[in-house]
Amino acid sequence: MPTLPGVHLKDEIAKISNRLMELGRGRQPDKASWEKVELARHPKRPYTLDYIEHMFPGFIELKGDRLFADDPAIVGGLAAYQGRTIMVIGHQKGRDLPSRTYRNFGMPKPEGYRKAQRLMRLADKFHIPVLTLVDTPGAFPGVAAEERGQGSAIATSLMCMAKLQVPTVAVIIGEGGSGGALALALADRVMMLENSIYSVITPEACAAILWRDSSEAQQAATSLKLTSADLEELEVVDEVLPEPRGGAHKDYAGAARILKEALEDSLRELETVSPLQRKKERFEKYRRMGVWREEGLTLF
Amino acid sequence: MPTLPGVHLKDEIAKISNRLMELGRGRQPDKASWEKVELARHPKRPYTLDYIEHMFPGFIELKGDRLFADDPAIVGGLAAYQGRTIMVIGHQKGRDLPSRTYRNFGMPKPEGYRKAQRLMRLADKFHIPVLTLVDTPGAFPGVAAEERGQGSAIATSLMCMAKLQVPTVAVIIGEGGSGGALALALADRVMMLENSIYSVITPEACAAILWRDSSEAQQAATSLKLTSADLEELEVVDEVLPEPRGGAHKDYAGAARILKEALEDSLRELETVSPLQRKKERFEKYRRMGVWREEGLTLF
Amino acid sequence: MANKVSVDISHRGPNGSIKGGESCPSCKELLTSEELESNLRVCHHCGHHLRVSARQRVAQLADEGTWNELAPHLRSADPLEFFDVRLYGDRIDEAESETGLNEAIVTGTARIHKMDVVLAVMEFGFMGGSMGSVVGEKFWRAAEAAIENRYPLLVFSASGGARMQEGILSLLQMAKTTCAVELLGEARIPFVSVLTHPTTGGVLASFATLADVIVAEPGSLLCFSGPRVIEQTIKEKLPEDFGRAESNMAHGQVDIIIPRNELKDRLVQILGMLEGGVACALEPLWEEKARPAGRGGAFAEALDRVKAIANAPWRAFKGRDREDQ
Amino acid sequence: MANKVSVDISHRGPNGSIKGGESCPSCKELLTSEELESNLRVCHHCGHHLRVSARQRVAQLADEGTWNELAPHLRSADPLEFFDVRLYGDRIDEAESETGLNEAIVTGTARIHKMDVVLAVMEFGFMGGSMGSVVGEKFWRAAEAAIENRYPLLVFSASGGARMQEGILSLLQMAKTTCAVELLGEARIPFVSVLTHPTTGGVLASFATLADVIVAEPGSLLCFSGPRVIEQTIKEKLPEDFGRAESNMAHGQVDIIIPRNELKDRLVQILGMLEGGVACALEPLWEEKARPAGRGGAFAEALDRVKAIANAPWRAFKGRDREDQ
Ligand SMILES: [Zn+2]
Ligand SMILES: [Zn+2]
């Protein structure tokens, strides 16, 4: 059966059946997806420093990439935790206008990702597990950020997390926006809070590109499968953490407790294997990411 | 014998004998030292790219620190060399006004040192020996360079060279100016061309500080012991390479030939030992640097 | 694993418009197909580097008859049952018939000036060179082939970013390809990345900038966020040279810009020099057992890992009707 | 190796002028010695951190009676027979009598809130805290002691740069101390550096910025080139906050600024957390033999090296009359 270029009977049948399916599905956007988008972006949703405050009283923030700047859109530092140490790194949004500006709306520049890498290497040196909290609309799109290598900063952040010998746990706590979120989320365990989202592109931008109409964002949110339930089904996240009734923004302490328990469970599990084995399993996991077909298999 | 605070008989005697010595020595500055300073800074002296041109026809320059900028005051890249590969990195001055400005008079900024580190790590990964050519008045003293961590960039460059598993050879080819020079010269073998200098501070700056008169630079040049002969005696450099008659600036090809032979000899020697042993010897060498006394020993 | 496929550059350009000629996007001069082909699709008036399709690129680089395509049967599924104004499947079909390829990357082994390499070339004409599951999987397999054969990996990228229609799975290809690069690194396999116009988004922010040496073609647009997105953010028009290869090099992000007519020679030289170091290290002069170096310990280890992973049960896609692998 | 020396802060300040009082260099208010001492030499009017001598620093940090000085007998030689308008030996003598120290750094073991540490404190009052051979050698021995005892290393720096009178040997201390830091790193010994006013030149450009965590005191001037040198270069007056700790932190060069009254507590916390990671790794839950980790392989190796080096014949200084060591 020839490969290129391909119009085959089997494909045609599949295509028609897809078209039929399409008529039945999704013409009404799934309100539930958009609700999650709104909850994930809720202005009162707990941010990284809120979780740190409730989870790790002795937190010591460490700043700077030792290269260019300290980026307040990513925070990180050491925390004492059950008689041991953990490195906590996360995106940080602001809550009022001055702090939002200061935190650049949680959109990191290259120096943010490079700070994260520096702290992860420090953790690795001293066998300190790494917890990342993910909550960003995406990496900052600006001229100077591009000039300082935004793409490279994200790539090296991914590479840094791929290399780590220590256990790594990532939790999407709010908006998991594109490469800027993934840069802190290549981990042994990736979890999502129930009302968080994780997406390759914002629904608004997706709608603007594909529908040429950003008011189709709700439709795009449904199509993108960005809710925690979607991502669990796609096996991109290992676990979805239920939030306190009404959402994390109604009970910071409760949300932090849930997160802390999940962290403890994860670490307990991850620390039963050797660093080498852990790294191997990490690679196997990411190697499996994706869905493809080989010729001879039908479309579904 | 008590240590602090100390005015002791032995000390006093030593002091007086020193004073007497001082009357006899050095009141006439050593013209030879100043001549070397002038030769090392000679406007026609071959620079890094001149040596590369004569030594490594297939040189491929690799630019940039992958962080902030490419610094033209340091050049580096891969060269084929006797059927193998070598990484060459050196300070680069300009020869006319535009190129001097472009090269910032051979005064690197943090990005220059960070480029050097990146290239050294690349060399280390592929077991490629590193040759550095040192020729700078010093690291650039500017506000932005300070803000981007000039001190840290030099320190991490030193650390990078301390860590390397591959053989490293440094040659002072012109001005070895302070920390900005040393940053590329923590090597297994450190050599100096006959008419180069290597100093903790420029004679002019030294004179301005100690004599409060920069016209005493010739005197300072003598005091600082910055000629290749001085440094060989102090065991800071392993070998002094003779230059072609009249100096390297009279015969680029000849100077390059001398340098190439010395490189070959050094590498042949360095490659007979394991990376671990080589690193150990490197550490022993730098651990021995310095001259001190312990109490109970007389002043000399 | 490999499958001989002859290189055919005659019938299609990157945007299907090669018949007769094209006008140069930069100086607007009309260029005949013959002129373009003989000059490697570089405008001989102004030096502008016109886009090259993946198959043309392979033809420009690979020694005659040495190209062996890897994983030629991999094609996209529709894991999200994605719907927008068109079906994902229709978009794929269209891209296939426009490019004559079945994904936005082709991978294979080849010889370049007699040097064995694994070569991966992205095709911008295939849905904007977007990276979905197949691009990630083909990149992984190319890296595997490089490690198994001990060939260097040479990758040409051209991409608008992620394949939105595969949603989060598309994003995760950044993580997947990064892990593949880390395996290459542990095996000390040289990896050279050539950034061509345009390389943006998730491809720039993963494997394309993680190479040992980063090469760019002159004038290529290389950025993480696209110019339009940035213009919306800063509410200003960007300068003409924003994100261009030359600007990237001045900002330290690119090792070297190589004009297309020198590309083949220079790439072989660079790969050879990286290989040269390793080759020497294979037969060290010293006797003592040192820490794992070169293709000794680290390589064996990386290879073991890759093999262990290759034996792992692949994740099934929904609705498959028989076992793959 | 260690030698008990009691801590005595009563008789001398950093500039020998503590009797009676001082006026705050920032707000100019007059501060009595009692006020200063009780407030750790921080102005209680404006919060300005006045300079602290090395001995005062030790007294502020070390638990009572726990300080053991290391290498107390090391003193400068005059290897270059350096002459300017004064003799080097005279300058040393003056510095000794002004500071009551015999070099610009004191090193020792101590307990801080019951935590064993190796503590090294530079004395700016001793020839501007300049780093000559003795500073380098004492730093090396402090690092050795940290590795041998498995204590973390805590270093307070204050330095105008290199000791010009030792010429190139002074410069080489940057390389020497860097190698010592690398040994600490291989042994996974936590190293925390506290930058105090002022830390510049070769000290900033070597060990002081190579620590695992870089702490700064508020308001400290931290720069490689001094403000005057830079002003001469740019022909402009520098802004007031140039090179200050706060500016350094904003520019990513400093991890944390800690006011002096919190310093002791916070340092112990940081050192404890770095130690905490290692302590756990000492007794791993897994069985498999992994790569050398923590204080297993890497540590043993680093220690072996240090020991091998310690047995190496020291280079003699000119004119010594009997073997040291
Ligand atoms: Zn043209
Ligand atoms: Zn005051």
Side-chain angles (χ1 to χ4, degrees), chain C residues 24-29 31 43-48 50:
Chain C
C24 170
S26 176
C27 71
K28 314 294 176 201
E29 292 280 343
L31 305 163
C43 172
H44 60 274
H45 299 287
C46 72
H48 181 79
L50 280 80

mmCIF file of all heavy atoms in Angstrom, chain C residues 24-29 31 43-48 50, ligand 1:
data_model
loop_
_atom_site.group_PDB
_atom_site.id
_atom_site.type_symbol
_atom_site.label_atom_id
_atom_site.label_comp_id
_atom_site.label_asym_id
_atom_site.label_seq_id
_atom_site.Cartn_x
_atom_site.Cartn_y
_atom_site.Cartn_z
ATOM 1 N N CYS C 24 11.447 36.941 -6.359
ATOM 2 C CA CYS C 24 12.167 36.950 -5.082
ATOM 3 C C CYS C 24 11.365 37.742 -4.048
ATOM 4 O O CYS C 24 10.994 38.894 -4.288
ATOM 5 C CB CYS C 24 13.548 37.587 -5.261
ATOM 6 S SG CYS C 24 14.403 37.904 -3.699
ATOM 7 N N PRO C 25 11.093 37.171 -2.873
ATOM 8 C CA PRO C 25 10.302 37.874 -1.861
ATOM 9 C C PRO C 25 11.015 39.130 -1.359
ATOM 10 O O PRO C 25 10.375 40.020 -0.805
ATOM 11 C CB PRO C 25 10.184 36.860 -0.725
ATOM 12 C CG PRO C 25 10.577 35.538 -1.297
ATOM 13 C CD PRO C 25 11.501 35.824 -2.440
ATOM 14 N N SER C 26 12.307 39.203 -1.581
ATOM 15 C CA SER C 26 13.037 40.355 -1.069
ATOM 16 C C SER C 26 13.177 41.449 -2.140
ATOM 17 O O SER C 26 12.681 42.559 -1.965
ATOM 18 C CB SER C 26 14.411 39.908 -0.569
ATOM 19 O OG SER C 26 15.172 41.009 -0.162
ATOM 20 N N CYS C 27 13.817 41.138 -3.271
ATOM 21 C CA CYS C 27 14.070 42.189 -4.269
ATOM 22 C C CYS C 27 13.043 42.192 -5.401
ATOM 23 O O CYS C 27 13.096 43.056 -6.283
ATOM 24 C CB CYS C 27 15.478 42.048 -4.846
ATOM 25 S SG CYS C 27 15.703 40.629 -5.938
ATOM 26 N N LYS C 28 12.144 41.216 -5.356
ATOM 27 C CA LYS C 28 11.024 41.134 -6.301
ATOM 28 C C LYS C 28 11.441 40.766 -7.741
ATOM 29 O O LYS C 28 10.607 40.736 -8.635
ATOM 30 C CB LYS C 28 10.205 42.449 -6.367
ATOM 31 C CG LYS C 28 9.861 43.036 -5.010
ATOM 32 C CD LYS C 28 8.919 42.146 -4.210
ATOM 33 C CE LYS C 28 8.678 42.741 -2.811
ATOM 34 N NZ LYS C 28 8.209 41.737 -1.853
ATOM 35 N N GLU C 29 12.713 40.520 -7.967
ATOM 36 C CA GLU C 29 13.143 40.088 -9.305
ATOM 37 C C GLU C 29 12.537 38.726 -9.626
ATOM 38 O O GLU C 29 12.371 37.887 -8.739
ATOM 39 C CB GLU C 29 14.683 39.978 -9.367
ATOM 40 C CG GLU C 29 15.429 41.293 -9.278
ATOM 41 C CD GLU C 29 15.465 42.035 -10.604
ATOM 42 O OE1 GLU C 29 15.198 41.410 -11.655
ATOM 43 O OE2 GLU C 29 15.739 43.263 -10.596
ATOM 44 N N LEU C 31 12.681 35.044 -10.847
ATOM 45 C CA LEU C 31 13.716 34.007 -10.906
ATOM 46 C C LEU C 31 13.110 32.766 -11.549
ATOM 47 O O LEU C 31 12.034 32.318 -11.146
ATOM 48 C CB LEU C 31 14.191 33.672 -9.489
ATOM 49 C CG LEU C 31 14.682 34.869 -8.666
ATOM 50 C CD1 LEU C 31 14.738 34.524 -7.180
ATOM 51 C CD2 LEU C 31 16.042 35.337 -9.151
ATOM 52 N N CYS C 43 18.488 33.801 -4.199
ATOM 53 C CA CYS C 43 18.340 34.803 -5.249
ATOM 54 C C CYS C 43 19.720 35.314 -5.671
ATOM 55 O O CYS C 43 20.507 35.762 -4.832
ATOM 56 C CB CYS C 43 17.490 35.969 -4.735
ATOM 57 S SG CYS C 43 17.447 37.377 -5.876
ATOM 58 N N HIS C 44 20.005 35.237 -6.960
ATOM 59 C CA HIS C 44 21.336 35.679 -7.377
ATOM 60 C C HIS C 44 21.392 37.189 -7.590
ATOM 61 O O HIS C 44 22.419 37.750 -7.911
ATOM 62 C CB HIS C 44 21.798 34.921 -8.638
ATOM 63 C CG HIS C 44 20.889 35.103 -9.822
ATOM 64 N ND1 HIS C 44 19.775 34.305 -10.013
ATOM 65 C CD2 HIS C 44 20.917 35.975 -10.834
ATOM 66 C CE1 HIS C 44 19.173 34.702 -11.124
ATOM 67 N NE2 HIS C 44 19.835 35.706 -11.643
ATOM 68 N N HIS C 45 20.259 37.856 -7.386
ATOM 69 C CA HIS C 45 20.279 39.316 -7.431
ATOM 70 C C HIS C 45 20.637 39.901 -6.057
ATOM 71 O O HIS C 45 21.518 40.731 -5.939
ATOM 72 C CB HIS C 45 18.918 39.862 -7.886
ATOM 73 C CG HIS C 45 18.532 39.406 -9.256
ATOM 74 N ND1 HIS C 45 19.124 39.888 -10.397
ATOM 75 C CD2 HIS C 45 17.631 38.477 -9.664
ATOM 76 C CE1 HIS C 45 18.599 39.304 -11.449
ATOM 77 N NE2 HIS C 45 17.681 38.435 -11.038
ATOM 78 N N CYS C 46 19.932 39.433 -5.036
ATOM 79 C CA CYS C 46 20.088 40.082 -3.730
ATOM 80 C C CYS C 46 20.602 39.127 -2.648
ATOM 81 O O CYS C 46 20.823 39.550 -1.507
ATOM 82 C CB CYS C 46 18.765 40.693 -3.274
ATOM 83 S SG CYS C 46 17.541 39.473 -2.759
ATOM 84 N N GLY C 47 20.775 37.854 -2.958
ATOM 85 C CA GLY C 47 21.283 36.916 -1.960
ATOM 86 C C GLY C 47 20.236 36.385 -1.005
ATOM 87 O O GLY C 47 20.551 35.617 -0.083
ATOM 88 N N HIS C 48 18.964 36.795 -1.204
ATOM 89 C CA HIS C 48 17.907 36.308 -0.330
ATOM 90 C C HIS C 48 17.796 34.786 -0.415
ATOM 91 O O HIS C 48 17.852 34.208 -1.494
ATOM 92 C CB HIS C 48 16.575 36.948 -0.721
ATOM 93 C CG HIS C 48 15.431 36.517 0.155
ATOM 94 N ND1 HIS C 48 15.217 37.045 1.408
ATOM 95 C CD2 HIS C 48 14.450 35.592 -0.040
ATOM 96 C CE1 HIS C 48 14.149 36.474 1.944
ATOM 97 N NE2 HIS C 48 13.664 35.594 1.086
ATOM 98 N N LEU C 50 15.580 31.852 -0.383
ATOM 99 C CA LEU C 50 14.175 31.450 -0.479
ATOM 100 C C LEU C 50 13.965 30.137 0.262
ATOM 101 O O LEU C 50 14.896 29.361 0.459
ATOM 102 C CB LEU C 50 13.756 31.291 -1.946
ATOM 103 C CG LEU C 50 13.432 32.592 -2.693
ATOM 104 C CD1 LEU C 50 14.708 33.288 -3.155
ATOM 105 C CD2 LEU C 50 12.501 32.310 -3.876
HETATM 106 ZN ZN ZN E 1 16.284 38.868 -4.577
#
